[in-house]
Amino acid sequence: MTVRDSFETLSQRDLAVLVPELLLCGQLIDRSGMAHLIVEFGREGMAQVAVEEWESASPWYTRRMQKALGYEGDDVVTIFKGLQLDIGAPPQFMDFRYRVDDPLHGEFWLDHCGALMDVEPLGDEFVTSMCHDIEDPTFDATAIATNPHAQIRPIHRPPRRPADRHPHCAWTVSIDPSHRPPVMTAHTEQIGRTAAVTVELSPIDHGGDGRADYSGPLLSDLRFSDFSRSALVRIAEEICVQHHLLALGFLAAVRRRADEDKAREITRKQLTGIAGVAAQRIRDALGLPSTLESLALVLSVHPLLNPKQYVESEIRPDGGALELWISRDALVDRDGGWPTLLGSEHLDPLQALVRGVNPHFTVRVVAEDAAGLLLAVDITEAPAPECVEVAITKVSTGAAFVFEDRGIPLPLFVV
């Protein structure tokens, strides 16, 4: 038997639970990678890589989500809707609140910034790197996906003075033809040529129950249970594309600072950390036991192997055994994305993934050739210790973050 229906195997209820998990795991990609960058390049080098990866990825995936959910536009509302579906701003963990004054002016603030909670203990220099050096160019890169004349500027931001200042930060958004559009960087253009930018995903059935798009008013929060099953499948696929685009931007930025072997080593460590944490969060969010059957389901929806239109793989459960085959001829392979970091000599990301479901699981290579990589999952008597890369990622408060039901969202601005 082969399992590869991916998100289509889940109920509407489970998809509504999974989508915010995928958004949060996308944000944790940086928590997984940044520590390794600091070791290699220092704090300033880490910040430069972060700027380049987000600048490279966010304009492309922002436009993809706009088109998928039918809220394309050139106003502040469109910018804010995009932030609600962005791995850079996962709901509640990065608790963005919005106010729209008119289509060209608005504000947002963070009642809670999980990223700040992670970085603040490191001191003001690291806070300034994140909240000034990284945020200034990357917020604008996100905004220009909607309108080249949009600017996002701080009202106040950390380091916090006083130390308990709330909200954690606040920003204005304004659109004015007099604003000079920023020039698209060479690294953004580079990622724009990847297959991930144009891959076609599952169409949304507009005849089903629930919301099929995000047209209409800007809402205070997105309650994903209000969306149709078909729309949630597409949203989940788009979020996984966001993961891959960010990882491609990360790898390209590291390559500009290190030789190929070192760049792949650092990116593999990034993948190992997030693969393990994401697997564990998916298992827990869906209430799964630590069985091979559960691992098959986690593999089928894990961002490393999704969306299926971009990453080709097969999950082959057979009674008390499980095999995983990963193609070497998918669109992601043409881009040089995450799966290309895997091989018989580099199994750490997959070990972290399967052990995120059960520490007694381990993977071994059955066969490897130009067509693909075939692996089997074995069960060991003793549990494996948690790997360093997963432990580093779990330093983030996001690794243990719990979402809550906030009830019916309120309309903030009618388009």
Side-chain angles (χ1 to χ4, degrees):
M1 179 176 69
T2 298
V3 178
R4 197 55 183 108
D5 288 334
S6 187
F7 299 110
E8 294 93 334
T9 63
L10 298 182
S11 67
Q12 191 268 355
R13 180 178 179 180
D14 282 346
L15 284 165
V17 170
L18 183 61
V19 162
E21 290 290 338
L22 293 175
L23 285 167
L24 176 55
C25 288
Q27 208 275 339
L28 293 178
I29 292 172
D30 260 7
R31 302 285 78 75
S32 180
M34 291 303 120
H36 306 294
L37 294 179
I38 293 169
V39 171
E40 296 294 334
F41 310 123
R43 176 181 55 81
E44 292 182 356
M46 174 274 295
Q48 291 166 1
V49 170
V51 168
E52 291 179 21
E53 65 167 332
W54 288 98
E55 280 184 335
S56 296
S58 66
W60 306 114
Y61 67 62
T62 297
R63 290 170 185 161
R64 284 192 59 96
M65 192 68 84
Q66 290 174 356
K67 184 176 181 180
L69 291 185
Y71 62 90
E72 292 175 284
D74 60 1
D75 58 4
V76 167
V77 166
T78 306
I79 293 172
F80 288 169
K81 287 182 177 181
L83 288 172
Q84 291 177 319
L85 291 155
D86 191 316
I87 58 174
Q92 300 182 26
F93 181 67
M94 305 288 286
D95 196 11
F96 280 65
R97 304 286 90 196
Y98 303 97
R99 190 189 82 208
V100 180
D101 299 317
D102 58 57
L104 302 181
H105 301 90
E107 293 182 8
F108 66 83
W109 57 95
L110 271 71
D111 280 347
H112 173 80
C113 178
L116 178 64
M117 298 298 96
D118 293 345
V119 173
E120 215 167 34
L122 302 178
D124 283 358
E125 285 189 339
F126 280 89
V127 171
T128 299
S129 290
M130 181 179 74
C131 300
H132 296 244
D133 302 338
I134 296 172
E135 294 291 20
D136 284 350
T138 57
F139 268 150
D140 275 354
T142 298
I144 64 171
T146 298
N147 193 310
H149 300 287
Q151 289 186 348
I152 299 179
R153 297 294 181 264
I155 300 170
H156 70 82
R157 55 179 164 176
R160 291 192 285 170
R161 301 290 187 269
D164 60 350
R165 184 173 190 174
H166 281 81
H168 287 170
C169 64
W171 303 74
T172 63
V173 182
S174 62
I175 298 172
D176 192 315
S178 68
H179 293 161
R180 178 177 296 179
V183 176
M184 181 176 287
T185 65
H187 47 265
T188 305
E189 291 178 341
Q190 176 189 355
I191 298 303
R193 293 190 290 271
T194 62
V197 169
T198 57
V199 61
E200 294 188 13
L201 303 178
S202 301
I204 297 175
D205 178 6
H206 286 258
D209 294 333
R211 294 187 65 129
D213 56 38
Y214 192 11
S215 60
L218 171 70
L219 300 175
S220 56
D221 290 292
L222 284 186
R223 189 169 63 173
F224 292 104
S225 58
D226 292 337
F227 284 89
S228 70
R229 185 170 177 273
S230 176
L232 288 169
V233 167
R234 178 58 178 271
I235 293 170
E237 291 176 347
E238 291 288 350
I239 294 169
C240 289
V241 169
Q242 293 187 22
H243 285 230
H244 286 282
L245 283 168
L246 190 68
L248 288 170
F250 180 94
L251 177 56
V254 176
R255 277 180 172 143
R256 286 186 281 272
R257 293 163 173 82
D259 62 34
E260 182 64 14
D261 287 346
K262 177 58 70 172
R264 291 173 68 82
E265 175 192 332
I266 293 171
T267 308
R268 193 177 293 114
K269 289 179 178 179
Q270 174 211 53
L271 174 57
T272 301
I274 193 57
V277 170
Q280 183 174 330
R281 286 197 64 95
I282 292 169
R283 181 203 64 188
D284 293 347
L286 297 179
L288 301 174
S290 299
T291 62
L292 283 174
E293 183 179 12
S294 296
L295 176 59
L297 178 54
V298 170
L299 286 167
S300 75
V301 298
H302 196 284
L304 170 59
L305 301 175
N306 278 286
K308 64 182 181 181
Q309 299 89 337
Y310 185 61
V311 183
E312 294 179 17
S313 66
E314 292 180 2
I315 302 153
R316 303 168 180 172
D318 184 14
L322 188 150
E323 288 186 340
L324 170 66
W325 178 79
I326 303 174
S327 171
R328 294 298 197 201
D329 190 31
L331 293 177
V332 70
D333 296 283
R334 301 178 201 177
D335 288 346
W338 270 341
T340 67
L341 303 175
L342 307 174
S344 57
E345 301 299 318
H346 300 293
L347 293 177
D348 286 352
L350 289 171
Q351 298 288 22
L353 193 164
V354 301
R355 290 167 183 166
V357 175
N358 187 327
H360 292 271
F361 292 160
T362 188
V363 295
R364 60 180 167 85
V365 175
V366 176
E368 183 177 20
D369 56 29
L373 177 65
L374 180 62
L375 305 120
V377 180
D378 297 323
I379 302 175
T380 62
E381 184 174 341
E386 186 172 78
C387 70
V388 171
E389 291 82 1
V390 171
I392 288 173
T393 309
K394 285 187 175 181
V395 170
S396 170
T397 57
F401 187 80
V402 178
F403 293 101
E404 62 182 29
D405 182 358
R406 292 187 167 182
I408 299 173
L410 300 174
L412 297 180
F413 194 85
V414 179
V415 179

